[in-house]
Amino acid sequence: MLCAPGEEMPELSSQDDSCAVLEREDHHGSGKLTRRASADAALALHAPSFGRRHQGPRRAVTEMIVGTPIEQQPSFKADFQHAASETYLITQLSFKLLSYLGVGYRWVCKLMALGLYALFLMPGFIQIGWYYFTSPCVHRSIVYGDQPRNRLDLYLPEILDKPKPAVAFVTGGAWIIGYKAWGSLLAKRLVERDVIVACIDYRNFPQGTISDMVEDVGNALSFFCNNIASFGGDPNRLFLAGQSAGAHLSSCALIIQAKKQKLNGRSRVMWTPSQFKMFFGISGGYNLLELVDHFHQRGLYKSIFLSVMEGEESLPRFSPELVVKRKDFQPWIHLLPPAMLFHGTADYSIPYHATVRFADSLRAAGVKVTTKLFPHKTHTDLFLQDPMRGGRDELLEHIVALIYEGEDVPESVVSEQLVPEILLQLARLVSPF
């Protein structure tokens, strides 16, 4: 039986423990089928289409073993209803956001540029969208908490013959337009390399402010750490990754959890930062005080940014670069995992100096950290244009090499080109990021 964050673990019995059933019935089939069935049973317990805890795991698991698959995905009706409710909510929030934005030429120009950017990359988005909605490897909207948008998408390799390394990925989106599906392209590439990926959704502004976002990410990581083994993941090979705003939120969640663990003891927290072997920060901003004016010039107006961040007085508290420098943080700095930070030197959304300075702060505090700067790469080159270009993806290769460090790396999959080069160049030219 799996537990959501904050829920006590019930005692296991022969009637309600699907994993125990699988172990007892292992002699009926191969270990590969058993582990796959375990993952499917876990998915059945958390799939939104059930709406409540599954009442008959023993029967469902037995049916999987004899060849009758249990339902893993929501029905079309459930998908439609969920999409309709999400559209209604997003429409409400969009009007609320417009009331914050007012009429400003910078954000209007950025919005128009975003439309053109999406249009040029549409061939790739359509293909990734098809994969997202039709692939049996993708298990959408698994509930990890009781707040709005407390959902994650789970990407599972086709064969679960042994415990796999697993990555929790927090998407970006300027704290305003983030969505779990933005991680589909990276997740698809990692799944092809035999890595489980959980793409985490969280409340965006104005639905929530920075405290809500960090809380959501923390709860999602708790769910991930405590349940990934039931989905076929290896608890000893867990990794955390974040891109842009997601890199900022991930690092905040790690720091806050480290403080909680030091103050309350490990036995009183649901997860610990040291459960992750490494943190991958991609194009992140880690010192909000130095980014306020930069974001204002880029169209994320200071008034909105400070509303997202709960006022100017909260900026130091949610600036990981500044927090790790504080003397009172030193007692729990050892709880943070090693970090690998990536950034493009042509990034205009968040200057690459943000990554360099954060790395220097971590290193000075005693955290093992490595940086990789990509010459002439923009904010979206690393995450979108380069993967859509096909062929060898340098960022992906670095991440995969670190995940499988000291092990045999799965054979590289040559990715096909999703978007013609001319459209990629035009998208890069008009990119608002």
Side-chain angles (χ1 to χ4, degrees), residues 23-280:
E23 291 177 2
R24 287 195 294 272
E25 299 194 12
D26 187 42
H27 63 279
H28 290 298
S30 68
K32 178 173 69 176
L33 180 60
T34 298
R35 179 161 288 279
R36 183 78 216 191
S38 177
D40 289 330
L43 286 163
L45 288 170
H46 289 277
S49 59
F50 284 82
R52 60 186 182 277
R53 191 175 296 278
H54 188 62
Q55 299 299 315
R58 182 182 181 93
R59 178 172 177 266
V61 172
T62 303
E63 288 178 350
M64 168 60 73
I65 291 174
V66 299
T68 306
I70 58 176
E71 182 182 5
Q72 299 175 24
Q73 293 288 352
S75 65
F76 175 79
K77 181 180 179 181
D79 260 347
F80 180 81
Q81 290 175 337
H82 179 70
S85 63
E86 288 287 300
T87 301
Y88 177 71
L89 176 62
I90 290 171
T91 302
Q92 281 186 312
L93 294 175
S94 297
F95 281 111
K96 186 175 180 180
L97 181 60
L98 285 172
S99 70
Y100 280 93
L101 288 169
V103 179
Y105 76 93
R106 286 198 187 97
W107 78 261
V108 171
C109 290
K110 294 291 182 184
L111 183 62
M112 294 173 63
L114 178 62
L116 280 174
Y117 178 78
L119 181 63
F120 289 137
L121 295 183
M122 191 57 66
F125 290 145
I126 290 173
Q127 293 174 72
I128 295 300
W130 179 261
Y131 167 80
Y132 179 73
F133 285 108
T134 64
S135 173
C137 296
V138 185
H139 306 271
R140 303 182 302 277
S141 295
I142 296 172
V143 178
Y144 68 78
D146 57 2
Q147 295 297 321
R149 295 189 64 173
N150 280 184
R151 305 287 188 274
L152 61 83
D153 294 329
L154 194 65
Y155 297 73
L156 298 177
E158 292 183 3
I159 299 176
L160 289 172
D161 54 343
K162 60 183 178 180
K164 308 290 186 181
V167 174
F169 180 69
V170 185
T171 59
W175 303 275
I176 294 174
I177 58 171
Y179 186 59
K180 55 188 171 64
W182 298 169
S184 296
L185 184 54
L186 177 64
K188 180 178 184 295
R189 299 289 190 254
L190 286 173
V191 164
E192 290 171 349
R193 305 298 287 274
D194 230 16
V195 178
I196 293 174
V197 182
C199 288
I200 294 168
D201 208 4
Y202 52 89
R203 284 170 285 179
N204 285 190
F205 183 81
Q207 191 175 21
T209 55
I210 185 65
S211 294
D212 301 314
M213 299 177 205
V214 175
E215 178 186 12
D216 287 351
V217 171
N219 286 338
L221 296 181
S222 176
F223 178 93
F224 177 82
C225 290
N226 288 297
N227 294 294
I228 196 63
S230 299
F231 298 117
D234 185 348
N236 296 314
R237 291 188 293 168
L238 304 183
F239 300 84
L240 173 61
Q243 188 264 341
S244 191
H248 167 257
L249 294 172
S250 301
S251 55
C252 285
L254 287 173
I255 287 171
I256 289 174
Q257 192 66 13
K259 183 177 180 180
K260 286 181 181 179
Q261 180 180 337
K262 191 65 178 179
L263 294 176
N264 302 325
R266 179 164 183 171
S267 62
R268 297 182 62 187
V269 294
M270 295 295 293
W271 66 283
T272 172
S274 57
Q275 288 179 261
F276 292 100
K277 291 191 66 175
M278 185 168 286
F279 165 61
F280 302 122

